[in-house]
């Protein structure tokens, strides 16, 4: 047990994103008196300006691609002209209407989350909060910081998130030079969008806007898009990008971005220039930890400003926890949510399962999607672990043929000797859904033989998972589950 209380425990949560929301909800369910402080709205940036609207935009792009490629499946769209002869219509994107819908969906989600917290008995304060000491938060609630509210609690959870990184030589103006939070103010589809940064955010928006019909140039300072991700997956994505008409400038570093008239000019470090109508700066994020009293309260930060946490989301101060992109763990909404719950379970003495990086499932919402879990092939290459890999192209899958899917694969990583599944990669439409069986296998330490003996529907894309694990069978391997 982490804590015992002679009264109802009190919890104050600073930040209402996925981590703060889940922490507040879990604390209320465990009978604590809970106060949540949030300046932008429940759900935070993840719901209002990041994950929800961006993935909604990607879903719209996917719909546009489905329409444009329907003819490959024998579905054709025509309208009759004045002469009665068929005219083939073009797919048009009303970006203003699209963005209005995205932001409306985000606000609806925020409102739903707020309602759930209120129904659970959580007190919500709108304003800018900062730690006054290890047991209290000061909230500026009035305009210009004129009114203040003080919240005292046994346990504090800091979940303040992160903001887009801004570079002095490429300062966003909200019109032509943009961060990913500003894209939703653009009224018309960019004629030529230059994306600086080929990490997850850059790749996702480059993919979406290409599929919406914009000309896209992706500037990557590394050898491949998605540096650090599975090499085979990055190769598939680059092939899809190039085939779709995107220009990918690898090993190219943007030195500056300037607005020139109704467009932008990106100057590269080697002197080359790229001209476009808009530029998206996707060069990472910085934690929102400055000036909120963390250091004064004794909370240890990294040089980058991230909060150091252990596997139960606890900081260097025993009663202060942290969750989400402001911490040293992986910056994913699902991770933030799990950290928030874990923090509360630990603080209030409930059952706790410490977080492990090897169990984290991640997804990149490009087209096709790239989902990963656990150990990766590069871990084997570096000698970090002994294992073996099998990759099965989706093109061999009957359901993929029916759906017109030609790109992608299923890759399984298993431990040498036992055949225990320790990781996987899926590149496919809806890979975010398909990765779940592999995530369960990693979590429960199932062997490839055990996974292969689970019935998959035929035809289905999940059939490639059983096919891949079946191909990894080794004769005479011990199997203590099936005997």
């Amino acid at each position: 047990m982490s804590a015992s209380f002679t009264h109802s425990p009190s919890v104050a949560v600073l930040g209402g994103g996925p981590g703060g929301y889940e922490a507040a909800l879990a604390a209320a369910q465990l009978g604590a008196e809970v106060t949540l402080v949030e300046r932008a709205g429940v759900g935070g940036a993840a719901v209002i300006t990041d994950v929800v609207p961006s993935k909604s935009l990607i879903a719209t792009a996917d719909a546009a691609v489905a329409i444009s490629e329907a003819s490959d499946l024998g579905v054709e769209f025509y309208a009759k002209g004045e002469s009665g002869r068929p005219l083939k219509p073009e797919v048009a994107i009303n970006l203003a209407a699209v963005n209005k819908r995205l932001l409306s969906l985000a606000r609806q989600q925020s409102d739903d989350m707020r309602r759930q917290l209120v129904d659970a008995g959580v007190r919500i304060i709108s304003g800018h909060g900062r730690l006054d000491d290890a047991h209290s938060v000061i909230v500026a609630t009035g305009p210009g910081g004129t009114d203040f509210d003080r919240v005292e609690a046994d346990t504090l959870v800091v979940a303040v998130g992160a903001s887009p990184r801004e570079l002095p030589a490429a300062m966003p103006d909200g019109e032509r030079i943009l961060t990913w939070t500003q894209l939703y103010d653009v009224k018309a589809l960019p004629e030529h969008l230059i994306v600086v940064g080929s990490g997850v955010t850059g790749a996702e928006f480059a993919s979406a806007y290409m599929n919406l019909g914009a000309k896209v140039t992706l500037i990557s300072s590394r050898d491949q898009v998605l540096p650090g991700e599975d090499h085979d997956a990055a190769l598939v994505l680059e092939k899809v990008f190039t085939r779709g008409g995107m220009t990918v400038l690898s090993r190219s570093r943007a030195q500056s971005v300037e607005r020139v008239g109704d467009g932008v000019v990106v100057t590269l470090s080697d002197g080359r220039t790229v001209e476009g109508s808009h530029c998206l700066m996707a060069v990472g994020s910085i934690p929102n930890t400055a000036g909120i009293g963390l250091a004064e309260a004794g909370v240890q930060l990294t040089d980058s400003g991230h909060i150091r946490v252990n596997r139960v989301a606890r900081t260097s101060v025993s009663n202060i926890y942290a969750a989400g992109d402001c911490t040293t763990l992986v910056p994913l909404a699902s991770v933030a949510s799990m950290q928030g719950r874990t923090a509360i379970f630990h603080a209030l003495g409930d059952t706790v399962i410490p977080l492990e990086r090897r169990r984290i499932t991640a997804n990149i919402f490009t087209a096709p999607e790239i989902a990963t879990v656990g150990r990766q092939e590069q871990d084997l290459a570096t000698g970090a672990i002994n294992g073996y890999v099998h990759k099965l192209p989706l093109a061999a899958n009957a359901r993929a043929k029916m759906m017109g899917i030609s790109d992608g694969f299923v890759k399984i990583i298993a431990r040498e000797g036992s055949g225990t599944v320790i990781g996987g990669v899926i590149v496919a439409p809806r890979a975010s859904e398909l990765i779940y069986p592999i995530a369960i296998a990693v979590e429960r330490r199932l062997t490839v033989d055990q996974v292969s003996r689970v019935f998959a529907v035929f035809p289905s894309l999940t059939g490639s998972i059983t096919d891949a694990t079946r191909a990894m069978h080794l004769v005479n391997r011990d199997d203590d589950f099936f005997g």
Side-chain angles (χ1 to χ4, degrees):
M1 292 290 183
S2 172
S4 60
F5 299 92
T6 58
H7 61 283
S8 290
S10 55
V11 175
V13 182
L14 187 57
Y21 166 78
E22 290 289 350
L25 197 58
Q29 290 170 341
L30 291 177
E33 296 178 0
V34 188
T35 301
L36 174 71
V37 178
E38 171 56 45
R39 60 184 176 85
V42 176
V47 168
I48 298 171
T49 59
D50 192 355
V51 179
V52 170
S54 68
K55 277 43 176 183
S56 299
L57 177 73
I58 291 166
T60 301
D62 290 344
V65 171
I67 293 172
S68 63
E69 294 182 351
S71 60
D72 295 339
L73 304 181
V75 179
E76 298 181 346
F77 299 88
Y78 289 98
K80 288 185 177 180
E82 293 181 0
S83 63
R85 300 181 64 180
L87 303 173
K88 193 167 185 178
E90 296 182 1
V91 175
I93 302 297
N94 182 341
L95 192 64
V98 169
N99 285 339
K100 181 179 179 181
R101 174 180 177 271
L102 305 185
L103 296 178
S104 175
L105 287 175
R107 181 51 61 185
Q108 289 175 28
Q109 181 66 21
S110 176
D111 291 344
D112 288 344
M113 294 171 70
R114 181 184 182 88
R115 191 175 303 111
Q116 283 185 284
L117 290 177
V118 171
D119 290 346
V122 176
R123 175 193 179 202
I124 300 175
I125 301 177
S126 298
H128 293 261
R130 61 176 175 82
L131 274 63
D132 194 40
D133 54 45
H135 287 278
S136 61
V137 174
I138 298 293
V139 188
T141 57
T146 54
D147 298 323
F148 294 92
D149 200 338
R150 181 183 179 87
V151 179
E152 296 187 353
D154 302 307
T155 300
L156 303 184
V157 180
V158 181
V160 292
S163 299
R165 183 184 301 278
E166 297 181 356
L167 304 180
M171 289 300 294
D173 61 9
E175 296 179 352
R176 296 289 171 172
I177 305 174
L178 308 157
T179 68
W180 62 80
T181 65
Q182 298 170 331
L183 280 170
Y184 311 108
D185 294 325
V186 177
K187 303 303 181 185
L189 193 68
E191 180 181 338
H192 180 188
L193 177 65
I194 303 170
V195 179
V196 177
S198 63
V200 174
T201 300
E204 286 185 346
F205 279 111
S207 176
Y209 277 90
M210 179 188 76
N211 289 331
L212 288 171
K215 178 182 178 181
V216 177
T217 296
L218 179 61
I219 298 175
S220 172
S221 63
R222 309 291 283 274
D223 292 339
Q224 66 174 46
V225 299
L226 300 174
E229 298 293 334
D230 181 85
H231 181 65
D232 292 336
L235 288 179
V236 171
L237 195 61
E238 284 197 33
K239 182 181 73 173
V240 171
F241 282 176
T242 303
R243 190 175 66 214
M246 186 186 303
T247 299
V248 180
L249 300 179
S250 300
R251 297 181 295 278
S252 301
R253 186 176 297 277
Q255 182 171 293
S256 65
V257 182
E258 296 178 284
R259 178 170 178 172
V260 179
D262 290 332
V264 295
V265 175
V266 179
T267 301
L268 305 181
S269 57
D270 60 7
R272 288 178 296 161
T273 59
V274 183
E275 297 182 9
S277 62
H278 297 76
C279 179
L280 169 63
M281 297 300 298
V283 290
S285 58
I286 56 174
N288 299 323
T289 54
I292 60 170
L294 291 169
E296 293 80 356
V299 176
Q300 291 183 3
L301 305 174
T302 66
D303 292 341
S304 62
H306 290 86
I307 302 172
R308 295 185 184 277
V309 292
N310 63 13
R311 291 173 57 201
V312 294
R314 199 180 206 173
T315 72
S316 55
V317 180
S318 62
N319 71 299
I320 301 179
Y321 296 75
D325 292 8
C326 63
T327 74
T328 47
L329 205 56
V330 182
L332 295 171
S334 57
V335 172
S337 297
M338 188 68 78
Q339 278 183 298
R341 291 191 294 271
T342 300
I344 291 301
F345 294 159
H346 185 264
L348 301 188
D350 203 349
T351 303
V352 179
I353 300 177
L355 297 168
E356 290 187 61
R357 282 180 179 265
R358 72 171 186 86
R359 293 173 173 168
I360 294 174
T361 304
N363 192 71
I364 302 169
F365 290 86
T366 47
E369 294 180 4
I370 299 172
T372 57
V373 64
R375 294 284 192 172
Q376 297 301 297
E377 190 169 5
Q378 61 190 14
D379 294 326
L380 276 60
T382 60
I385 193 167
N386 294 324
Y388 57 110
V389 179
H390 186 75
K391 185 178 77 169
L392 186 64
L394 274 186
N397 181 287
R399 185 66 183 273
K401 290 183 175 72
M402 298 171 193
M403 299 169 66
I405 299 170
S406 58
D407 301 302
F409 59 81
V410 169
K411 179 185 288 187
I412 305 292
I413 298 100
R415 190 181 295 277
E416 189 176 290
S418 66
T420 303
V421 178
I422 55 176
V425 182
I426 296 182
V427 180
R430 302 293 186 269
S432 51
E433 311 291 345
L434 296 172
I435 196 69
Y436 191 61
I438 303 178
I440 292 176
V442 172
E443 172 70 24
R444 305 309 301 170
R445 294 181 170 85
L446 302 180
T447 67
V448 290
D449 286 344
Q450 289 170 338
V451 175
S452 73
R453 295 176 195 181
V454 176
F455 281 92
V457 170
F458 180 84
S460 69
L461 296 182
T462 53
S464 287
I465 297 175
T466 54
D467 288 345
T469 52
R470 192 174 298 120
M472 300 174 81
H473 172 71
L474 295 180
V475 179
N476 297 325
R477 178 191 292 125
D478 292 334
D479 192 332
D480 59 6
F481 186 82
F482 288 101

